[in-house]
């Protein structure tokens, strides 16, 4: 699923955001990524998402060599991935319902009932009552749950989440984490960066630790 071999990401002539990073994550694994601010977590996610390329090293994700991925191939590659960003990246001119349904429309899968699937997922994340609202009228927690639902709606092979529970209360955080685990049972691989160490105690999961761009820990919580 994810195979990284001796990855370096260097900015300028000397600032190594990632240094000699080698790791493997298998299909269906649930993996937390922890580490202090500036450890390289966001940089790693940018590389996996093909928003940036490594300075050196080999990257294989979802069957694609990211080193050799051409510009025209990137949109098709990203269709295999769900993204939850810290700043949500919701479309301000679309409602909650429209934001969440959008990935299904882009993929254009006619074999499913897009309306039914969207409403069911909105119910799971507690957003049915605000499905017709626009992002500017939502709380931070509601925007976060909208972003999470949008990331999950198309059953991605891989979900990358950068602090997905940062704006949620403890009870809703547990609900979202349980939803993630249910999707992982279907084969989705989860790679989740968090500063909320309480989440690591809720279920047994693999935990990777980054510090100054290097992998300093790999254990089961």
């Amino acid at each position: 699923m994810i195979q990284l071999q001796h990855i370096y990401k260097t900015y300028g002539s000397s600032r190594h955001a990632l240094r000699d990073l080698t790791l493997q994550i298998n299909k269906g694994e649930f993996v937390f990524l922890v580490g202090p601010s500036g450890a390289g977590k966001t940089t790693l996610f940018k590389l996996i998402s093909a928003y940036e390329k490594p300075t050196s090293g080999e990257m294989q994700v979802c069957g694609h060599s990211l080193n050799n991925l051409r510009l025209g191939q990137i949109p098709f590659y990203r269709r295999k991935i769900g993204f939850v960003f810290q700043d949500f990246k919701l479309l301000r001119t679309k409602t909650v319902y429209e934001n969440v349904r959008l990935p299904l429309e882009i993929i254009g899968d006619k074999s499913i009932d897009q309306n039914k699937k969207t409403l069911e997922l909105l119910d799971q994340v507690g957003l049915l009552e605000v499905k017709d609202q626009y992002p500017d009228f939502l709380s931070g927690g509601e925007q976060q749950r909208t972003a999470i639902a949008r990331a999950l709606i198309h059953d991605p092979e891989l979900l990358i989440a950068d602090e997905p529970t940062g704006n949620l209360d403890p009870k809703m955080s547990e609900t979202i984490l349980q939803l993630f685990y249910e999707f992982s049972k279907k084969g989705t691989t989860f790679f989740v960066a968090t500063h909320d160490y309480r989440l690591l105690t809720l279920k047994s999961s693999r935990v990777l630790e980054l510090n100054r761009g290097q992998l300093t820990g790999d254990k089961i919580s």
Side-chain angles (χ1 to χ4, degrees), residues 1 28 44 55 73 85 93 152 215 220:
M1 171 54 67
L44 176 56
T55 304
Q73 295 174 311
F85 300 98
T93 59
L152 290 170
L215 187 64
I220 302 297

Side-chain angles (χ1 to χ4, degrees), residues 157-201:
E157 293 182 30
L158 169 66
L159 186 134
I160 298 171
D162 198 354
E163 298 291 344
T165 61
N167 290 283
L168 305 180
D169 60 57
K171 184 176 180 180
M172 183 53 68
S173 294
E174 291 183 21
T175 298
I176 293 301
L177 192 62
Q178 183 59 43
L179 181 64
F180 282 0
Y181 279 113
E182 291 301 317
F183 270 80
S184 72
K185 292 177 184 177
K186 302 176 183 178
T188 298
T189 303
F190 282 80
F191 200 11
V192 180
T194 186
H195 284 106
D196 186 356
Y197 284 80
R198 185 185 62 86
L199 297 180
L200 310 185
T201 68

Side-chain angles (χ1 to χ4, degrees), residues 1-48:
M1 171 54 67
I2 299 176
Q3 291 183 320
L4 309 183
Q5 294 288 332
H6 304 295
I7 296 298
Y8 282 83
K9 181 61 180 179
T10 305
Y11 295 99
S13 60
S14 60
R15 188 170 76 84
H16 300 299
L18 296 173
R19 294 185 290 174
D20 199 21
L21 184 62
T22 295
L23 64 88
Q24 177 170 319
I25 297 174
N26 297 320
K27 180 176 174 59
E29 269 199 281
F30 197 107
V31 181
F32 284 110
L33 181 64
V34 300
S37 297
K41 301 187 296 295
T42 299
T43 298
L44 176 56
F45 282 171
K46 286 180 179 178
L47 296 185
I48 294 173

